[in-house]
Amino acid sequence: MQKHRIHFTASDTDDAQSACRRLIHQYGQHRSNEASVIVALGGDGFMLESMHRFMESKLPIYGMNKGTVGFLLNNYAEEDLFDKIETAKITRLHPLRMIAEDTRGEITEALAINEVSLLRESRQTAKIQISIDGNVKVDELTCDGVLVATPAGSTAYNLSAHGPILPVNAGVLALTPISAFRPRRWRGAILPREAHIQFDIQDSLKRPVSAVADAVEVRDVKTVKVEEAPEITINLLFDPEHNLEQRILDEQFML
């Protein structure tokens, strides 16, 4: 078996940095532009950061947990890493593209692997109009906010906001209100991945709203458009016995 050319990257914790040094000593280190695979050591936050960092390279990423939850990572092990990478199963993810216009007319574009969320900035509730594919579906959502989650992100903020857990390969997105006041009974929607979603902020000066795409925040937005970016693919590698599809499935039965 041909050995993989690994580029190791690690979070700044002592544990992750120490593990990274040991693995480099054992398996070697290649520059990211010469590597065939990225091995990321840290927690879910660092894994998300690594996916953004290496998105353009299209290199597969094999994460190992040196954090807390480790939902997006494999268990940490130093033995047989080449074999583990070789036998790993690929999960392909597509990020969301957010295009946000603020009240000054400035446009910000960002990608989100987990979710795009809109959140009120002040003590007053937000009032948001929601359109799908050019058709108004919610004339005025009075709420703390609203989010669009990918299947990979459906077990994160979306789940905390009582949104649905989505299988990775289901081809859908979750549209989930955050503490909705009116319409009180609306619990969100499951949308096809091809949907074009637009949020228009009502009374945006009196009721300011921010938009967040993973780590990118835009304050005082007026209009936010969200859609999947199918031309961008992130390849994650998981051990066969503990893949992401199975983890998301199992989350639906956590009591």
Side-chain angles (χ1 to χ4, degrees):
M1 181 190 68
Q2 183 179 1
K3 292 183 178 180
H4 292 275
R5 302 184 305 278
I6 302 175
H7 175 77
F8 291 97
T9 183
S11 67
D12 57 5
T13 66
D14 291 341
D15 192 23
Q17 289 292 318
S18 177
C20 189
R21 289 191 294 269
R22 293 194 303 271
L23 290 169
I24 288 174
H25 177 75
Q26 185 171 352
Y27 297 99
Q29 173 76 315
H30 290 80
R31 295 179 180 178
S32 59
N33 61 354
E34 299 172 344
S36 60
V37 63
I38 303 296
V39 173
L41 310 171
D44 284 324
F46 182 74
M47 185 62 173
L48 197 64
E49 178 185 320
S50 298
M51 284 189 273
H52 278 282
R53 179 182 172 190
F54 296 106
M55 191 180 295
E56 291 187 4
S57 73
K58 300 181 181 179
L59 290 173
I61 303 177
Y62 182 88
M64 288 200 287
N65 189 17
K66 277 295 178 180
T68 50
V69 178
F71 190 81
L72 294 172
L73 300 118
N74 299 286
N75 294 329
Y76 178 80
E78 297 182 11
E79 302 78 22
D80 303 318
L81 183 55
F82 288 136
D83 291 336
K84 287 180 177 294
I85 292 171
E86 185 68 21
T87 59
K89 302 299 182 182
I90 298 177
T91 295
R92 293 178 174 86
L93 306 179
H94 301 289
L96 298 173
R97 176 178 288 108
M98 176 188 78
I99 301 174
E101 180 181 358
D102 65 23
T103 54
R104 298 175 298 280
E106 296 181 5
I107 306 294
T108 300
E109 184 173 327
L111 296 173
I113 296 166
N114 273 355
E115 76 277 319
V116 172
S117 55
L118 278 67
L119 305 165
R120 67 182 175 119
E121 297 177 12
S122 70
R123 60 181 176 81
Q124 291 186 300
T125 55
K127 292 190 175 182
I128 303 172
Q129 184 182 84
I130 303 174
S131 300
I132 309 298
D133 297 329
N135 300 309
V136 175
K137 294 298 185 183
V138 180
D139 187 61
E140 186 176 271
L141 176 66
T142 304
C143 58
D144 282 352
V146 63
L147 62 85
V148 181
T150 66
S154 67
T155 59
Y157 191 7
N158 173 70
L159 182 58
S160 297
H162 306 291
I165 295 175
L166 304 176
V168 171
N169 297 316
V172 294
L173 305 172
L175 174 62
T176 303
I178 303 170
S179 300
F181 180 65
R182 289 193 179 94
R184 194 180 297 273
R185 295 185 180 180
W186 188 63
R187 294 293 181 264
I190 297 175
L191 305 175
R193 67 192 311 171
E194 300 85 7
H196 297 269
I197 307 156
Q198 179 168 320
F199 303 103
D200 291 294
I201 313 307
Q202 310 298 300
D203 204 2
S204 56
L205 295 179
K206 181 181 179 182
R207 301 172 182 270
V209 170
S210 65
V212 183
D214 285 350
V216 177
E217 180 180 10
V218 182
R219 306 281 289 181
D220 304 329
V221 294
K222 181 174 65 176
T223 300
V224 178
K225 298 178 181 179
V226 180
E227 62 184 28
E228 187 182 68
E231 75 281 4
I232 301 175
T233 301
I234 302 165
N235 296 309
L236 300 186
L237 300 178
F238 290 95
D239 296 330
E241 69 276 8
H242 206 184
N243 60 64
L244 184 60
E245 290 92 338
Q246 188 61 48
R247 293 183 193 192
I248 291 178
L249 177 63
D250 291 344
E251 280 290 317
Q252 299 181 75
F253 298 93
M254 297 295 289
L255 302 178

